[in-house]
Amino acid sequence: MSKVKVTIDGREVEVPAGSTIYEAAQQVGVEIPTFCYDPELTRVGACRICVVEVEKARALVASCAAPVGDGMVVHTESERVVKARKNILRLILGNHPLECMTCQKTGDCKLQDYCYYYGVNEAGFEGEVKELELDDTNPFIRRDMNKCLLCGKCVRKCEEINGATAIDFMNRGFISNVGPAFDDPLEESPCVFCGLCVDVCPVGALLPRESIGKGRPWQVEKKEVVCPYCGVGCSINLHIKDGEVIDASAVEDSPVNRGHLCTKGRFGWDFLQSEERLTSPLVKQNGVFVETGWEEALQEVAKRLTEVRQKYGNDALAGLSSAKVTNEENYLFQKFIRELGTNNVDHCARLCHSPTLAGMEKAFGIAGMTNTIEEITGAGVILVIGSNTTETHPVVSYRVKEAVNNGAGLIVVDPRETRLAVEADSFLQVRPGTDVALLNGLAHLIIKEDLVDQKFIEEKTEGFEELKKTLDGYTPEYVEKITGVPAGELREAARLFGAAEKGSILYTMGITSHTSGTNNVLSVCNLAMLTGNIGEESTGVNSLCGQNNVQGACDMGALPDKLAGEHSIEEKDTGLTAVEMMKAAAEGEVKAMYIMGENPLLSEPHLEHVQEAMEKLDFLVVQDIFLSETAQKADVVLPAAAFAEKDGTYTNTERRVQLSRAAVAAPGEARADWEILCGLANKLGMNWDFSSPEEIMKEIASRNPNYAGINYQRLEESKGLQWPCPDLGHAGTPVLHREGFARGRGKFHPVEYAPPSEETDSYYPLWLTTGRHIFHYHTSTMTGRSRGLGSHVPEEMVQVNPEDASRLDISGGDTVEVASRRGKLNARADLTDMVPPGTVFMTFHSSELAVNFLTSDEMDAEAKVPELKVCAVNVRKAEQSH
Amino acid sequence: MKTFCHCNNHYGLENSSIILFMQNIQRNCGYLPEDELKRLADNTGTPLMDIYSIATFYKSFKLEPQGEHTITVCTGTACHLRGSGEVFEEMAAVLGVGSGGGTSEDGKYTLEKVNCLGACALAPLIVIDGHYHGNVTPGKAREMIEEHYK
């Protein structure tokens, strides 16, 4: 790239041609004030505060937008510039309420800073001022548009980064304003409350509601932690005053989220301070929980577990570890259970990630998202299948959006018309549970139209001929019959995906939570290998993990068939999987359970059955931060520290191991899970002497070769390390299978379509599929106790297509009965085109309307994942009495 | 009432045709009803916010129902000097609308100002339903409305 020479305030600098004056000034360390500039947004040059004087130019120019020219001589603080800036500030002050004494923004306000710097303290203009109403209706953001200076950064963040496009400029001239359509409150707009707008507002127009009045910027200490919600693993700065979190913001230099968050990360931290937090161990006596000391509680657990072992044997014990706690704690949990002499240990990855483990291991040799999140932005085409990315992994959806803005094609496969589907070049609305047929259909067409990567197939894979034979029958017309996707649309999608240089596939539970889960994953792997989209940047099979530490919990061996580091256990010694544990408990084979940070009484399928199973247990100990639905059934409840209250590492969906340090103290007597486990282990004579998570990580590194090069010092110095990281000199592995596959050659597995475990019939004529929405997380144990998230979308409703609704005589808001072969519940109907005719949708967040009473516990033969994503239901208008 | 769907065939569902769609809606409905704009957003995949932003940017787009007849008073320099202010005030009084204009209670007339129509030789100028009337006085303006009402 050619360079040009410019002189800024007497300093010469060479910068790439096309740089702006502002960028050049930054290079020589000259600060220029800005309101409307943000490096990742379109330059608009709207606020004019960044004007500079360029020699020989007639007028002052906006440095954030004006490109440099060779030989340009720039003065950033000349008399003329200062005069102009002062005038701009006066004009702003003329129409800006001077409430700095109480304004939350004081100390962090650009207007205040610049007025201070240039000595401007009054407008000197008199005239009309804005008198707009305060928008204080939503629980997240307080909007006082009288303070707005119309820089428009919020508008661009909303449109260019998030994609919600909830706000924009309205009107003209003096009455110009920024807000949602029809000047409605934010609450009624498409706003998803990611808070990106709040964080870029240079003044106090947009404020985080929870933080108002709680502390000044200079009283706050910022501590970096890893977000406790989804598998993206964003870094968050918690703003702490007097030991209490009062706000949060995104960490700008995190390679994962680079300054972006979603509503949960931004506003969902306040469950930490919930009054419902468990603060003392509880032991149930005569059906009532009684607070006890730790000694007594641990003694009780040790005694009862020992009794069960002595009476029924070691395999009468089972433990559920947690994808919510740290690697160290997962490692200890499985170690604890295994030292008790059983492999009955599993965690909620059984419900989501297990088919990925099974499928990718068979196809590639190791299992994990093959590429990094950031690489998505460089893809030529993105295939999103079975993932409502916008709501489940919002920050990943920002990257998809960025890729699309960069010109990438977008294919979305989903039964529901999700927001990404609306934006897609190609939206294939499949019938739930028919993904294998669809993926085979795409592969069939890619072979037929000669869009395969022949060289890749020959050099790096095996089993192509067998695959080809199986795919033969999957003509677009045949696939249309199974999936409901018109043959023509399938052809277009296949061409779009096959023709692109770099194709990235993203999937989530829509692929995995099926009886065909493992086969679904294998078909995805086939498609990626067929097109040579493995082992290169911006390609890959990118499974997006649900929880923040699904990948880590699996790596630590919190699985019945694997020890840490994918050391498989002999098949005869394999323990029970999560769903099998419940079945075994119901049959009286499992007598005692230890559940850490999971809530199976809401998350497992076929809940009625799970309830029965739990009732039958002789002993149940639950370790959690809240008295969850499951904890209420426990004999002993152990209060745990939450994410921000302990040290430890989490492995995000892209295999990045990140260190999160304690930022605040745990409430009351609550202890970190690893401390509790150590205490309990020692009560049972295991002689553990771990004194910190760092020590536990040393043992992990010695057991799991992928973690061998990882220690706290390295994590502290880096922004996380992506496994495999086999030795201390290794920088981590952003892209898997670059030098060939872990198993040698990538293996194509021909898989045939098999229908879901249950079919619709005249009694149960509709498909029910389940999922999440953006404001809640899983069983809402945490989000439900966040003031903002918990109150924003309070009611769980069932989504019904208007066509079905009119056939069933259902109006929007009517209470309907949704019944499956296992249970029924009453919910209000939300009529929407988002679901196709014949399919209804519910989330699994609600405890009052627990959809898992309806779902099926039929399992994938290999991964033992239950079919949470599809079951047959009947929907009818509920009796009046309900 | 002809609605948005009616004009689909003319322009195709292109984002870039959004202003044409909006003009068409306004032509058919007399203003831009909220429901129609929402439908337009759904059908073109354009964020509602963008449409609203356009609707409020251009003065000729109306978000409120308009009267059956539109009276526009030119307030350009020539008209102003020749008394368009008084003409406007008189008409506002007759129609019982505020000093900024608006729609009469019976929904028959909408009175509005326009910056300059460029026909300064006719100043002061008013336009009723697209018909130009030059050299208007407050008295004439009153007569014209009263005539119209008969």
Side-chain angles (χ1 to χ4, degrees):
Chain A
M1 191 183 278
S2 65
K3 295 243 179 183
V4 294
K5 207 174 273 179
V6 283
T7 310
I8 296 173
D9 293 349
R11 283 132 99 181
E12 253 190 31
V13 61
E14 265 199 350
V15 293
S19 307
T20 61
I21 298 174
Y22 180 86
E23 285 160 351
Q26 277 195 316
Q27 277 202 21
V28 289
V30 170
E31 270 303 312
I32 296 176
T34 63
F35 287 121
C36 73
Y37 170 80
D38 188 295
E40 67 176 2
L41 302 176
T42 313
R43 313 289 148 82
V44 291
C47 74
R48 314 313 285 183
I49 196 75
C50 72
V51 287
V52 293
E53 188 167 356
V54 175
E55 281 186 15
K56 291 181 195 151
R58 229 162 15 122
L60 299 176
V61 298
S63 62
C64 74
V68 290
D70 199 23
M72 206 180 234
V73 180
V74 180
H75 302 282
T76 70
E77 288 278 338
S78 69
E79 202 181 312
R80 214 174 136 205
V81 167
V82 170
K83 194 175 158 209
R85 289 195 188 145
K86 282 185 171 178
N87 270 328
I88 292 166
L89 291 171
R90 284 197 199 100
L91 284 164
I92 294 170
L93 286 192
N95 193 7
H96 185 93
L98 298 177
E99 296 167 357
C100 305
M101 289 77 76
T102 52
C103 181
Q104 181 67 18
K105 200 71 179 178
T106 288
D108 186 26
C109 171
K110 281 196 166 188
L111 181 59
Q112 207 177 41
D113 290 350
Y114 299 154
C115 284
Y116 177 83
Y117 183 79
Y118 291 108
V120 175
N121 63 3
E122 58 182 351
F125 302 111
E126 270 178 45
E128 226 180 309
V129 292
K130 284 186 276 192
E131 280 176 44
L132 299 165
E133 248 177 85
L134 191 74
D135 176 9
D136 202 14
T137 49
N138 72 78
F140 306 102
I141 300 171
R142 178 179 291 176
R143 286 171 69 234
D144 181 356
M145 299 319 283
N146 294 316
K147 291 182 184 164
C148 173
L149 38 90
L150 301 172
C151 72
K153 269 197 286 197
C154 52
V155 172
R156 281 172 285 149
K157 284 273 178 185
C158 189
E159 186 184 344
E160 295 174 20
I161 307 297
N162 184 302
T165 318
I167 52 171
D168 201 343
F169 289 100
M170 60 183 96
N171 303 320
R172 266 194 305 173
F174 182 75
I175 56 166
S176 290
N177 192 15
V178 168
F182 300 99
D183 210 6
D184 286 338
L186 264 190
E187 181 108 320
E188 292 163 27
S189 77
C191 176
V192 287
F193 296 100
C194 65
L196 286 173
C197 57
V198 175
D199 293 342
V200 291
C201 184
V203 292
L206 303 172
L207 291 171
R209 202 160 172 251
E210 278 296 322
S211 317
I212 294 170
K214 291 199 177 144
R216 291 301 201 182
W218 57 86
Q219 299 172 311
V220 160
E221 190 187 354
K222 289 183 185 176
K223 288 188 176 174
E224 195 174 322
V225 296
V226 176
C227 178
Y229 289 104
C230 79
V232 177
C234 297
S235 289
I236 304 179
N237 277 320
L238 292 179
H239 301 200
I240 296 157
K241 183 180 170 253
D242 302 332
E244 200 174 324
V245 184
I246 64 161
D247 198 7
S249 59
V251 172
E252 294 286 339
D253 61 351
S254 158
V256 177
N257 54 310
R258 52 170 159 94
H260 304 146
L261 288 175
C262 75
T263 186
K264 293 185 285 288
R266 180 67 181 80
F267 296 108
W269 45 267
D270 61 333
F271 68 86
L272 286 169
Q273 298 148 1
S274 163
E275 284 182 2
E276 292 176 57
R277 280 292 299 275
L278 293 170
T279 54
S280 156
L282 304 172
V283 175
K284 206 174 256 171
Q285 289 171 2
N286 304 322
V288 188
F289 282 122
V290 180
E291 289 191 2
T292 65
W294 273 107
E295 181 58 31
E296 203 181 330
L298 292 182
Q299 196 61 52
E300 174 74 6
V301 175
K303 190 185 97 191
R304 299 284 295 271
L305 290 180
T306 307
E307 279 172 11
V308 168
R309 280 170 84 200
Q310 282 169 351
K311 210 164 159 190
Y312 304 102
N314 296 336
D315 285 334
L317 299 181
L320 282 178
S321 192
S322 172
K324 270 270 167 280
V325 308
T326 65
N327 286 323
E328 291 76 3
E329 289 159 346
N330 271 292
Y331 178 77
L332 286 193
F333 189 89
Q334 61 87 32
K335 186 180 164 91
F336 177 81
I337 297 290
R338 290 195 157 109
E339 286 195 20
L340 289 175
T342 176
N343 280 316
N344 291 343
V345 57
D346 203 3
H347 71 283
C348 66
R350 188 60 51 203
L351 311 181
C352 59
H353 197 50
S354 59
T356 300
L357 298 181
M360 279 204 200
E361 258 170 42
K362 282 169 77 173
F364 302 153
I366 45 172
M369 177 167 164
T370 59
N371 294 59
T372 59
I373 295 168
E374 191 56 40
E375 287 170 41
I376 295 168
T377 57
V381 62
I382 300 168
L383 167 62
V384 179
I385 178 164
S387 166
N388 181 8
T389 322
T390 316
E391 302 205 51
T392 59
H393 300 85
V395 172
V396 173
S397 79
Y398 305 165
R399 305 296 173 258
V400 174
K401 167 110 190 137
E402 191 176 326
V404 171
N405 288 351
N406 292 342
L410 179 62
I411 305 164
V412 173
V413 184
D414 207 289
R416 291 199 306 152
E417 192 175 4
T418 59
R419 208 179 82 201
L420 279 187
V422 174
E423 286 169 25
D425 300 292
S426 165
F427 169 42
L428 310 180
Q429 196 161 23
V430 282
R431 256 175 228 138
T434 61
D435 306 271
V436 166
L438 185 112
L439 289 160
N440 279 354
L442 287 175
H444 171 99
L445 284 164
I446 282 170
I447 293 175
K448 202 172 154 199
E449 307 216 350
D450 200 22
L451 295 166
V452 296
D453 186 337
Q454 204 59 43
K455 189 162 170 274
F456 183 92
I457 294 171
E458 277 165 22
E459 288 174 6
K460 296 192 167 174
T461 67
E462 63 191 42
F464 178 59
E465 289 308 319
E466 290 87 333
L467 176 76
K468 222 169 146 182
K469 250 178 263 160
T470 307
L471 293 180
D472 240 11
Y474 288 86
T475 60
E477 292 69 28
Y478 174 66
V479 171
E480 177 173 343
K481 259 183 230 154
I482 300 173
T483 62
V485 172
E489 290 181 19
L490 192 74
R491 270 196 196 95
E492 268 173 41
R495 284 173 196 154
L496 184 57
F497 188 78
E501 183 100 339
K502 290 177 169 190
S504 174
I505 307 176
L506 309 183
Y507 72 80
T508 314
M509 283 171 71
I511 277 293
T512 56
S513 295
H514 288 283
T515 45
S516 58
T518 306
N519 283 348
N520 286 348
V521 172
L522 288 170
S523 320
V524 172
C525 295
N526 288 343
L527 188 63
M529 289 194 288
L530 211 53
T531 48
N533 279 315
I534 286 282
E536 256 186 83
E537 248 174 56
S538 299
T539 64
V541 178
N542 298 302
S543 51
L544 304 175
C545 290
Q547 305 268 12
N548 56 338
N549 204 26
V550 171
Q551 187 61 51
C554 294
D555 298 339
M556 294 306 111
L559 297 168
D561 58 344
K562 278 195 182 59
L563 301 175
E566 304 188 347
H567 301 295
S568 290
I569 288 166
E570 273 188 57
E571 209 173 321
K572 66 176 174 53
D573 294 328
T574 296
L576 298 171
T577 62
V579 181
E580 288 170 329
M581 283 176 195
M582 298 304 161
K583 292 185 178 179
E587 280 155 28
E589 283 161 21
V590 162
K591 293 287 186 190
M593 280 191 82
Y594 183 0
I595 298 176
M596 170 174 76
E598 293 221 339
N599 192 11
L601 267 176
L602 218 49
S603 60
E604 293 280 322
H606 196 355
L607 276 183
E608 197 180 335
H609 186 255
V610 178
Q611 275 181 347
E612 283 167 26
M614 290 280 170
E615 301 285 343
K616 278 190 111 173
L617 289 174
D618 280 9
F619 181 63
L620 174 64
V621 49
V622 174
Q623 188 166 312
D624 209 311
I625 60 172
F626 288 109
L627 199 63
S628 66
E629 287 73 15
T630 308
Q632 287 166 28
K633 301 275 179 204
D635 297 290
V636 178
V637 178
L638 304 174
F643 75 107
E645 298 157 357
K646 61 189 178 186
D647 289 353
T649 61
Y650 301 90
T651 306
N652 79 349
T653 187
E654 53 173 5
R655 300 167 281 106
R656 188 185 301 274
V657 184
Q658 302 189 96
L659 178 60
S660 184
R661 291 285 193 187
V664 288
E669 296 292 309
R671 285 183 186 173
D673 294 279
W674 69 269
E675 287 179 276
I676 303 173
L677 282 160
C678 286
L680 202 51
N682 289 330
K683 282 264 174 294
L684 286 156
M686 294 179 191
N687 292 322
W688 290 4
D689 59 351
F690 300 107
S691 64
S692 71
E694 187 167 2
E695 274 181 31
I696 305 167
M697 181 48 88
K698 281 183 194 152
E699 184 166 318
I700 293 169
S702 73
R703 299 292 155 87
N704 186 333
N706 286 337
Y707 284 67
I710 294 176
N711 62 36
Y712 273 34
Q713 197 195 334
R714 291 195 72 194
L715 292 176
E716 201 86 78
E717 287 161 4
S718 61
K719 285 280 172 186
L721 290 165
Q722 284 176 282
W723 68 250
C725 180
D727 58 66
L728 289 171
H730 197 285
T733 313
V735 180
L736 289 181
H737 318 299
R738 221 188 242 285
E739 315 295 332
F741 289 95
R743 69 180 292 283
R745 279 174 171 265
K747 189 168 163 62
F748 287 109
H749 288 80
V751 286
E752 294 281 2
Y753 164 72
S757 61
E758 61 180 34
E759 299 274 4
T760 52
D761 58 22
S762 55
Y763 294 105
Y764 299 100
L766 298 170
W767 292 114
L768 166 71
T769 185
T770 69
R772 292 168 38 198
H773 69 63
I774 192 163
F775 294 101
H776 275 308
Y777 201 83
H778 284 42
T779 64
S780 60
T781 308
M782 293 172 354
T783 51
R785 277 133 176 138
S786 158
R787 287 174 288 262
L789 298 173
S791 64
H792 184 54
V793 187
E795 191 184 348
E796 173 65 26
M797 288 169 95
V798 53
Q799 290 185 341
V800 183
N801 184 282
E803 240 176 71
D804 290 331
S806 85
R807 200 167 36 79
L808 298 165
D809 191 25
I810 295 166
S811 311
D814 279 358
T815 301
V816 296
E817 182 193 89
V818 188
S820 79
R821 295 184 173 99
R822 289 153 296 276
K824 58 185 177 185
L825 50 81
N826 282 356
R828 292 206 306 139
D830 171 19
L831 305 195
T832 169
D833 284 329
M834 198 174 171
V835 286
T839 300
V840 299
F841 171 85
M842 285 183 82
T843 74
F844 53 90
H845 301 304
S846 168
S847 58
E848 289 85 34
L849 290 173
V851 73
N852 282 326
F853 277 108
L854 310 179
T855 53
S856 152
D857 58 357
E858 285 298 318
M859 296 182 291
D860 176 84
E862 221 158 317
K864 306 287 169 68
V865 65
E867 189 143 69
L868 289 162
K869 283 286 175 188
V870 47
C871 68
V873 294
N874 178 37
V875 173
R876 63 187 178 102
K877 216 169 179 167
E879 308 289 329
Q880 282 303 315
S881 59
H882 286 295
Chain B
M1 185 190 288
K2 285 179 193 166
T3 57
F4 156 69
C5 291
H6 174 75
C7 51
N8 273 356
N9 332 340
H10 293 281
Y11 309 117
L13 286 171
E14 285 296 322
N15 211 339
S16 56
S17 320
I18 218 79
I19 290 183
L20 293 176
F21 283 134
M22 292 166 70
Q23 287 174 325
N24 227 343
I25 294 171
Q26 180 149 313
R27 209 169 297 132
N28 289 323
C29 307
Y31 74 113
L32 299 175
E34 195 169 326
D35 287 348
E36 287 295 314
L37 293 186
K38 284 182 176 159
R39 200 131 56 100
L40 181 64
D42 283 347
N43 283 288
T44 56
T46 306
L48 181 63
M49 190 55 234
D50 288 354
I51 294 173
Y52 183 73
S53 194
I54 295 168
T56 56
F57 182 83
Y58 292 107
K59 219 180 156 194
S60 55
F61 282 129
K62 316 286 179 195
L63 288 158
E64 299 295 330
Q66 300 294 296
E68 284 169 44
H69 306 284
T70 304
I71 305 171
T72 312
V73 179
C74 180
T75 60
T77 312
C79 291
H80 174 75
L81 289 173
R82 299 194 63 171
S84 67
E86 288 78 24
V87 172
F88 189 89
E89 273 170 33
E90 184 66 20
M91 295 190 112
V94 176
L95 297 172
V97 299
S99 60
T103 302
S104 61
E105 224 167 74
D106 59 8
K108 266 201 139 162
Y109 292 92
T110 295
L111 177 68
E112 59 182 27
K113 291 177 185 171
V114 62
N115 284 339
C116 181
L117 291 166
C120 305
L122 299 176
L125 174 73
I126 67 172
V127 185
I128 303 179
D129 293 338
H131 295 287
Y132 285 64
H133 305 268
N135 302 316
V136 184
T137 59
K140 265 195 197 166
R142 173 182 284 271
E143 273 173 31
M144 281 160 81
I145 292 174
E146 283 167 355
E147 189 69 22
H148 222 262
Y149 259 109
K150 275 177 195 166

